[in-house]
Amino acid sequence: MATEAHGEGLTFHPMDQFIVKPLFRDVAPGTCVPADGITEGCLKWYEPTNATLWMGIAILCIIGLFVLGTRGRAIIPSRLQSIAELGYGFVHKMIEDVTGKDGLKFFPYVFTLFCFIVFSNFLGLIPGALTTTSHVAVTGILAVAVFLTVTIVGFVKNGVHFLELFWVKSAPLALRPVLALIELISYFVRPVSHSVRLAGNMMAGHAVIKVFAAFAPLILISGVGIAVTPLSILAIVAMYALEILVAFIQAYVFTILTCVYLRDALHPSH
Amino acid sequence: MEIAAAAALGKFIGAGLACMGMGGSAMGVGNVAGNFLAGALRNPSAAAGQTATLFIGIAFAEALGIFSFLVALLLMFAV
Amino acid sequence: MANTTTEAAGAATEAAGHAAEAAGHAAKSAGMPQLDFATFPNQIFWLAVALVIIYLILSRVALPRIGGIIADRQGKITNDIAAAEELKAKAVEAEKVYQQALVDARGEAQRIVAEAQAEIQKDLDAATAKADAEISARTAESTRRIEEIRAGAARNVVEVATETAGAIVAALGGKADAKSVASAVAAKLKG
């Protein structure tokens, strides 16, 4: 497979679309090999990259929808304003239902996460775009931020009682230490699963589309292409439709899990 | 170079084996969604309030499949 | 055989490394772009910048505005419903007043009719009573006259009888003393 992929035949580079590179320069080969201690060509932390570009576009979209779209403050909303209000109501209701009334002071925070993820996911579906949320660095920071928020809020709100989250009162006394250990581990695994779920979903779908896309030019190379090329294009369309669904559902899942974790912090006894 | 070849072989076989985990996750997601549907058809009025729980359940079941996919990718590209 | 395997493995490594190569990395650091730790500080920095900007935009401008719009709309709807309720209450009130007026008018009309009837009855009664009184008065007058006439006639009868008796006695040659004649007549009349 790999031999085929290389050379004059089909080229499979499903992961190339995730490469973060500087916007205004090319990294010369051999100038960034951290293993060998060569770092002069590497990305500087302040350099604008394609990730910066797509995050910036996401910010512009958010401004366009939530600031310019609601400019009219109309009682009878315009289309854009309806969408903005729909998003507001969606997240507002989610927090209220899952976390309760006292979770509403985290509404701007949760809404920021939701907006960033949903816009990044959808912008990533544009051909040629970089899906910023497919990077574990990005989702990891988001998840760690949620984890730290939950832990800090939990201890500030409940003090030592927050530890009751790990001490399952409804279980028999003998089982409680074991359960406490399991709960503790699952608590610390939360940011990992939280971030990897989002990044993995985004990466997987895009990589699969890319693999199917690599089969598409087969018609130019060999006779089998007459059958394979339409099939692969059909598969791309189907995957793309699924990805649109996934883009929203993953943003929803990330947000609702944030709400669930916040509920643990605010009411650890439940 | 024999060892490198064996390593490459192991990588690809391992990646293929890791992908089997995704089947388990698929069963899990199907189980969650199917049971939700069965419950929802019995009591449609209670279904609307439980969609959040449905998605949380699906997310948890799916995360494990994503983990196995991740392992496959790591074997293919990172090891 | 071994040669081809080696070749394949080498090609595989090369292909796997191709992604990184495209970005200018050496083939040695082949792997997923997600695990290219050299890009992490950059991504984390720009993510933090983006999140702070989004948070500020949303929490300072967008969310209060949308919340305000929704609250305004809710307020307007509540007000409108309240106004509608008020108007409805007014309509109900007006209808009640109208019905009351109708009932009143009907009552008044009945009262007037009854009054008129009573008045008419009274007049009628008065007229009847007057007529009755007149009739009885006339009857009494007539009775009195009849009595008078009858009394007059009786007196005349006595006079005539007395005279006649006197005359008859005289004619028969007796001498009639008036007193005895009269008493005889009276006795005769009584008898």
Side-chain angles (χ1 to χ4, degrees):
Chain A
M1 162 224 133
T3 31
E4 238 179 27
H6 199 59
E8 78 287 342
L10 297 177
T11 47
F12 288 90
H13 299 305
M15 307 310 274
D16 276 13
Q17 55 179 325
F18 302 122
I19 292 169
V20 177
K21 46 182 174 277
L23 268 186
F24 304 115
R25 69 181 175 98
D26 283 329
V27 178
T31 54
C32 180
V33 189
D36 296 349
I38 308 168
T39 54
E40 76 268 22
C42 282
L43 271 179
K44 304 288 184 292
W45 60 271
Y46 51 83
E47 236 176 325
T49 58
N50 48 355
T52 315
L53 174 70
W54 287 102
M55 284 177 191
I57 293 175
I59 292 173
L60 289 182
C61 289
I62 289 170
I63 293 176
L65 179 58
F66 291 105
V67 177
L68 301 183
T70 58
R71 201 181 33 208
R73 297 167 199 257
I75 290 290
I76 298 159
S78 61
R79 285 179 203 185
L80 220 52
Q81 193 185 323
S82 298
I83 298 171
E85 284 174 17
L86 212 64
Y88 180 99
F90 181 70
V91 179
H92 199 269
K93 190 170 174 300
M94 196 194 301
I95 297 179
E96 211 173 331
D97 287 354
V98 177
T99 316
K101 281 262 185 243
D102 49 352
L104 282 179
K105 58 178 175 293
F106 296 100
F107 177 53
Y109 178 57
V110 176
F111 198 62
T112 303
L113 293 178
F114 177 76
C115 286
F116 176 75
I117 294 170
V118 89
F119 275 97
S120 297
N121 288 357
F122 277 112
L123 287 170
L125 285 172
I126 297 170
L130 176 83
T131 318
T132 47
T133 41
S134 70
H135 279 268
V136 274
V138 171
T139 59
I141 290 298
L142 295 177
V144 165
V146 170
F147 178 79
L148 289 180
T149 311
V150 166
T151 310
I152 291 168
V153 167
F155 276 113
V156 168
K157 269 242 164 197
N158 309 291
V160 188
H161 290 290
F162 183 56
L163 293 173
E164 283 172 12
L165 188 65
F166 307 111
W167 197 249
V168 187
K169 284 251 173 64
S170 53
L173 192 62
L175 273 179
R176 282 184 206 167
V178 185
L179 283 176
L181 190 66
I182 294 172
E183 289 281 330
L184 201 67
I185 292 171
S186 75
Y187 186 79
F188 282 101
V189 168
R190 271 179 186 181
V192 178
S193 67
H194 205 185
S195 61
V196 168
R197 178 183 301 115
L198 177 58
N201 264 295
M202 287 297 108
M203 187 201 327
H206 288 67
V208 170
I209 288 181
K210 207 63 180 217
V211 169
F212 282 128
F215 278 112
L218 198 65
I219 196 164
L220 304 173
I221 300 164
S222 84
V224 221
I226 292 172
V228 173
T229 300
L231 266 181
S232 75
I233 290 172
L234 213 65
I236 292 169
V237 172
M239 275 311 292
Y240 200 90
L242 183 69
E243 279 304 289
I244 290 173
L245 190 70
V246 165
F248 179 75
I249 286 182
Q250 288 308 317
Y252 173 66
V253 164
F254 193 97
T255 318
I256 205 162
L257 284 178
T258 305
C259 293
V260 170
Y261 297 160
L262 273 176
R263 181 184 60 192
D264 282 350
L266 295 173
H267 320 280
S269 48
H270 298 316
Chain B
M1 283 317 264
E2 295 286 327
I3 290 176
L9 187 71
K11 254 163 67 171
F12 290 126
I13 291 177
L17 286 175
C19 281
M20 288 165 68
M22 289 153 71
S25 142
M27 285 195 276
V29 173
N31 201 11
V32 171
N35 280 331
F36 175 79
L37 192 61
L41 286 176
R42 268 167 216 254
N43 187 2
S45 56
Q50 296 304 319
T51 42
T53 325
L54 168 73
F55 279 110
I56 292 171
I58 286 182
F60 279 128
E62 193 202 21
L64 301 169
I66 293 292
F67 286 158
S68 63
F69 173 76
L70 197 73
V71 169
L73 278 180
L74 287 173
L75 283 172
M76 291 271 289
F77 296 109
V79 175
Chain C
M1 184 63 211
N3 206 13
T4 47
T5 326
T6 322
E7 219 169 77
T13 333
E14 212 176 319
H18 208 278
E21 255 176 51
H25 291 252
K28 264 184 198 166
S29 67
M32 289 164 70
Q34 276 86 355
L35 297 177
D36 184 358
F37 294 103
T39 65
F40 273 31
N42 183 282
Q43 287 193 61
I44 291 168
F45 168 67
W46 286 112
L47 173 71
V49 171
L51 283 183
V52 167
I53 292 174
I54 295 173
Y55 182 82
L56 289 180
I57 290 168
L58 289 179
S59 65
R60 293 287 152 84
V61 185
L63 295 183
R65 190 188 284 176
I66 298 175
I69 293 168
I70 291 175
D72 277 1
R73 182 175 309 140
Q74 208 56 50
K76 178 138 177 59
I77 290 171
T78 315
N79 280 347
D80 285 2
I81 287 175
E85 287 288 329
E86 204 171 300
L87 286 179
K88 199 183 158 194
K90 268 186 192 162
V92 168
E93 184 75 10
E95 203 195 331
K96 221 161 77 184
V97 167
Y98 167 74
Q99 289 292 359
Q100 188 58 47
L102 211 62
V103 168
D104 282 358
R106 205 166 277 153
E108 181 80 355
Q110 262 164 357
R111 198 180 56 75
I112 289 169
V113 167
E115 225 164 58
Q117 261 173 353
E119 199 133 302
I120 290 166
Q121 194 63 45
K122 212 169 76 191
D123 283 359
L124 204 64
D125 284 354
T128 316
K130 204 173 150 199
D132 279 355
E134 201 150 306
I135 288 167
S136 57
R138 293 240 181 113
T139 315
E141 177 78 359
S142 308
T143 318
R144 200 178 49 81
R145 285 240 194 100
I146 292 166
E147 283 301 321
E148 233 164 54
I149 291 166
R150 190 179 279 159
R155 207 168 51 234
N156 286 351
V157 167
V158 171
E159 252 171 44
V160 171
T162 313
E163 264 173 36
T164 315
I168 291 170
V169 169
L172 288 177
K175 188 165 165 322
D177 113 76
K179 236 179 186 167
S180 51
V181 170
S183 58
V185 167
K188 209 59 177 171
L189 277 172
K190 268 177 196 162

